[in-house]
């Protein structure tokens, strides 16, 4: 085999320096927070050196532009593929920084500690010494905050159920005194009694009222955090004839019929959602809860845009009857293309949420992003994938907080003793699954429903669910406020 001319590595060297220069120019807001390498990577005679350098530069460019999840994927691949690389310390440093930006401090600490263990006898500007210093900074920050952050106690409600404006700030102050730390407000009108729109300032959708703009200054004065709840598959301002809507396959009539949900794999839909996420972050909120809905029809959502993208990704022309229907078949009998369809859709939907998270964190770097999940995701993963598109392994690896969708009380029957303590088999199985994978309990939220006729009554506090004593203390509680039944 002829030897490549010497000009080839010269071109690679030029490409490397160009990549480093572009990475330093992209995302000027990041340049002040993150250090550039103290020295450029060196080349070796190893034929894989160019591939290593290219992968590392791509990851650093993603990090500099706020695409932390993308950087994590590339850097994890780097560590797996090149365990003996001379750039291993640099890759591990940026992997730890990326995990930290995603809010996954546990994963970041693993890589910082691995680097710090080799800090003896290296230069002061080495990545090993930087990791040792960062560990000390994080330890001191923990001491100032009294150790691990206390679990949140949150109320989730529609802005339409807030007290009148004149009473709002005093209500928030009472919530704080009663132990509530966070209020989660729905970001989109949802009950059908109001004009369709959003509750924050944006030019991308109808604005019903800028509630977040009114609430956030009061919440800041009261010491209350504000999160937004976003139900992605319901955008009430989208016309019923729009191609943004999903379709479902009707096995009895053997045809597609319209659906009320949004096709989240439609590129136009994705662009609007990413833009709305960025505008929502500009309000100053501290976190977002992403909800996909309770309907068990994930497998059946067969919008034209989703089917077209799937066909392009796999070169298949499978019929909707095979992809989008389980009529007359058990899950064990489903064809391979069905599993490819639901798995692909689940991952594509997660990539959309990651894009939204990256857009929000460009405005607010420490934004908490939580995803609602169902207990089936741990106890019956195949059913959860088919019904809800939930893959708990992917979710736990990508740095999201998890919000258990169903109320605690719905996950077990009362104990035979009559003490009122729930039998928490489903909840315990979920917690055990997460614990076995070292999932940080501070990133888990358990939901409980509170029914009230007047939200002002919540200013006196909310009752703990019966299972609170069974939960680890670090787990967050989310009380979903719903209207109480009318008194006859």
């Amino acid at each position: 085999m002829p030897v490549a001319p010497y000009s080839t590595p010269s071109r690679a060297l030029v490409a490397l320096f160009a990549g480093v220069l572009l990475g330093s120019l992209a995302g000027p807001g990041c340049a002040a927070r993150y250090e550039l390498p103290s020295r450029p990577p060196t080349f070796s005679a190893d034929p894989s050196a160019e591939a290593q350098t290219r992968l590392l530069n791509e990851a650093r460019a993603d990090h500099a532009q706020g695409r932390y999840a993308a950087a994590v994927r590339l850097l994890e691949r780097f560590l797996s593929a090149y365990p003996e690389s001379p750039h291993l310390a640099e890759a591990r440093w940026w992997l730890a920084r990326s995990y930290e930006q995603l809010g996954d401090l546990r994963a970041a600490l693993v890589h910082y500690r691995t680097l710090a263990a080799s800090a003896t006898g290296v230069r002061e500007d080495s990545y090993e010494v930087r990791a040792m210093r960062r560990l000390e900074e994080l330890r001191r920050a923990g001491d100032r905050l009294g150790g691990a952050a206390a679990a949140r106690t949150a109320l989730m409600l529609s802005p339409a159920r807030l007290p009148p404006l004149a009473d709002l700030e005093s209500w928030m102050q009472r919530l704080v005194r009663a132990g509530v730390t966070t209020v989660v407000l729905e970001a989109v009108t949802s009950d059908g009694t109001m004009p369709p729109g959003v509750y924050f300032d944006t030019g991308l959708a109808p604005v019903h009222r800028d509630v977040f703009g009114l609430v956030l200054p009061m919440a800041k004065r009261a010491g209350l955090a504000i999160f937004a709840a976003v139900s992605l598959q319901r955008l009430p301002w989208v016309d019923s004839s729009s191609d943004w809507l999903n379709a479902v396959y009707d096995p009895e009539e053997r045809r597609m019929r319209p659906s009320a949900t949004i096709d989240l794999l439609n590129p136009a839909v994705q662009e609007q959602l990413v833009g709305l996420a960025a505008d929502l972050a500009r309000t100053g909120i501290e976190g977002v809860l992403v909800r996909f809905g309770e309907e068990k029809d994930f497998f059946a959502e067969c919008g034209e845009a989703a089917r077209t993208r799937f066909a392009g990704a796999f070169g298949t022309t499978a019929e909707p009857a095979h992809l989008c229907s389980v009529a007359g078949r058990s899950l064990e009998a489903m064809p391979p293309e069905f599993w490819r369809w639901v798995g692909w859709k689940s991952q594509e939907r997660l990539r959309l949420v990651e894009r939204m998270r990256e857009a929000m964190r460009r405005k607010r770097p420490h934004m908490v992003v939580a995803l609602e999940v169902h207990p089936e995701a741990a106890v019956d993963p195949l059913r959860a994938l088919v019904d809800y598109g939930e893959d708990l392994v992917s979710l736990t690896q990508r740095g999201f907080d998890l919000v258990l969708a169903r109320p605690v009380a719905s996950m077990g029957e009362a104990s035979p003793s009559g003490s009122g303590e729930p039998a928490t088999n489903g909840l315990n199985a979920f917690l055990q699954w997460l614990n076995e994978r070292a999932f940080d309990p501070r990133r888990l939220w358990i939901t409980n429903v509170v029914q009230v006729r007047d939200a002002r009554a919540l200013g006196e506090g909310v009752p703990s669910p019966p299972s609170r004593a069974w939960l680890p203390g670090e787990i967050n509680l989310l009380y979903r406020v719903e209207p109480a039944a009318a008194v006859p």
Side-chain angles (χ1 to χ4, degrees):
M1 180 179 294
V3 178
Y6 189 72
S7 61
T8 300
S10 299
R11 287 197 300 271
L13 183 59
V14 172
L16 166 63
F17 289 145
V20 172
L21 178 60
L22 288 174
S24 65
L25 292 176
C30 298
R33 295 198 306 267
Y34 301 112
E35 309 90 345
L36 291 173
S38 56
R39 54 192 181 277
T42 58
F43 285 96
S44 74
D46 183 351
S48 71
E50 184 176 348
Q52 294 179 37
T53 301
R54 183 170 58 251
L55 187 59
L56 190 55
N57 284 339
E58 288 176 4
R60 292 211 42 239
D62 282 336
H63 186 285
Q65 295 173 34
R67 297 193 295 267
Y68 306 117
V72 163
R73 288 194 293 272
L74 292 176
L75 292 165
E76 289 282 13
R77 188 197 310 167
F78 186 102
L79 266 59
S80 176
Y82 308 112
E84 304 299 326
S85 170
H87 312 309
L88 195 64
E90 181 179 3
R92 196 177 292 280
W93 167 262
W94 289 110
L95 179 58
R97 297 294 270 177
S98 298
Y99 271 126
E100 193 176 345
Q101 283 298 309
L102 288 174
D104 192 346
L105 189 57
R106 181 186 292 265
L109 289 173
V110 168
H111 294 287
Y112 284 138
R113 288 167 180 156
T114 301
L115 283 171
S118 305
T120 304
V122 297
R123 292 169 43 168
E124 281 297 302
D125 63 346
S126 69
Y127 292 105
E128 292 88 345
V129 173
R130 294 183 194 186
M132 189 169 60
R133 292 171 180 162
R134 185 60 184 149
L135 284 171
E136 180 62 14
E137 291 170 1
L138 292 172
R139 186 192 66 78
R140 290 176 179 174
D143 289 344
R144 289 195 302 271
L145 297 173
R152 293 180 185 267
T153 299
L155 294 178
M156 176 178 155
L157 69 164
S158 166
R161 296 188 58 77
L162 287 171
L165 187 60
D167 300 333
L168 191 53
E169 189 160 1
S170 61
W171 176 74
M172 290 182 176
Q173 292 167 350
R174 293 198 304 275
L175 287 181
V176 172
R177 289 195 294 270
V180 176
T181 67
T182 308
V183 170
V184 184
L185 296 175
E186 294 175 5
V188 178
T189 58
S190 60
D191 63 4
T193 64
M194 293 171 291
V198 298
Y199 288 109
F200 58 95
D201 187 33
T202 180
L204 298 175
V207 178
H208 174 67
R209 189 185 184 195
D210 184 12
V211 172
F212 283 88
L214 292 171
V215 164
L216 277 157
M218 300 182 189
K220 185 176 181 180
R221 289 192 292 269
L224 196 65
I226 299 294
F227 281 39
V230 180
S231 298
L232 291 188
Q233 291 188 286
R234 300 285 178 176
L235 303 181
W237 58 87
V238 174
D239 186 82
S240 59
S241 63
S242 171
D243 60 1
W244 286 19
L245 294 179
N246 253 318
V248 295
Y249 180 74
D250 188 330
E252 294 184 1
E253 298 186 9
R254 298 183 180 181
R255 66 178 182 88
M256 304 297 296
R257 57 180 177 80
S259 168
T261 61
I262 298 295
D263 184 355
L264 295 179
L265 302 191
N266 184 316
V269 171
Q270 294 193 350
E271 290 306 311
Q272 182 170 78
L273 288 173
V274 171
L276 286 171
D279 287 347
L280 188 53
R282 287 192 189 97
T283 64
I285 59 174
E286 295 186 27
V288 169
L289 165 59
V290 177
R291 310 181 72 200
F292 291 112
E294 283 288 325
E295 297 85 357
K296 295 183 178 182
D297 59 0
F298 178 76
F299 70 91
E301 295 167 353
C302 285
E304 183 177 355
R307 286 185 284 120
T308 300
R309 288 182 58 188
F310 177 74
F314 294 97
T316 179
T317 56
E319 294 295 322
H322 295 153
L323 297 180
C324 314
S325 173
V326 296
R329 294 178 290 183
S330 66
L331 291 184
E332 292 76 12
M334 297 305 294
E337 60 264 33
F338 173 83
W339 294 111
R340 190 177 297 124
W341 165 251
V342 293
W344 174 83
K345 278 205 309 175
S346 172
Q347 294 303 308
E348 288 297 308
R349 192 172 70 173
L350 269 183
R351 290 189 184 98
L352 166 61
V353 181
E354 286 181 323
R355 286 183 60 199
M356 294 173 63
R357 177 172 64 184
E358 290 163 8
M360 289 187 286
R361 284 186 172 165
R362 291 191 194 105
K363 311 300 177 186
R364 291 185 64 81
H366 301 292
M367 177 83 70
V368 175
V369 180
L371 284 179
E372 194 172 62
V373 296
H374 298 79
E376 291 93 330
V379 298
D380 192 352
L382 283 183
R383 176 56 62 185
L385 180 62
V386 171
D387 286 348
Y388 303 111
E390 293 172 359
D391 177 2
L392 202 54
V393 173
S394 291
L395 292 176
T396 55
Q397 291 175 342
R398 299 193 187 195
F400 294 107
D401 278 23
L402 300 180
V403 178
L404 201 60
R406 296 198 184 113
V408 169
S410 71
M411 299 179 64
E413 300 298 329
S415 63
S417 65
S419 64
E421 296 177 348
T424 56
N425 292 338
L427 176 59
N428 283 340
F430 190 85
L431 295 176
Q432 180 179 352
W433 193 98
L434 295 174
N435 184 59
E436 289 171 352
R437 288 151 182 83
F439 185 82
D440 189 342
R442 290 170 298 180
R443 289 170 46 206
L444 180 63
W445 302 62
I446 303 296
T447 304
N448 197 48
V449 169
V450 176
Q451 293 186 329
V452 295
R453 282 186 289 274
D454 189 341
R456 283 174 288 193
L458 294 170
E460 307 306 319
V462 291
S464 279
S467 63
R468 187 56 174 122
W470 299 82
L471 299 175
E474 306 97 321
I475 290 180
N476 308 287
L477 285 178
L478 174 67
Y479 294 89
R480 196 171 69 215
V481 180
E482 295 183 352
V487 178

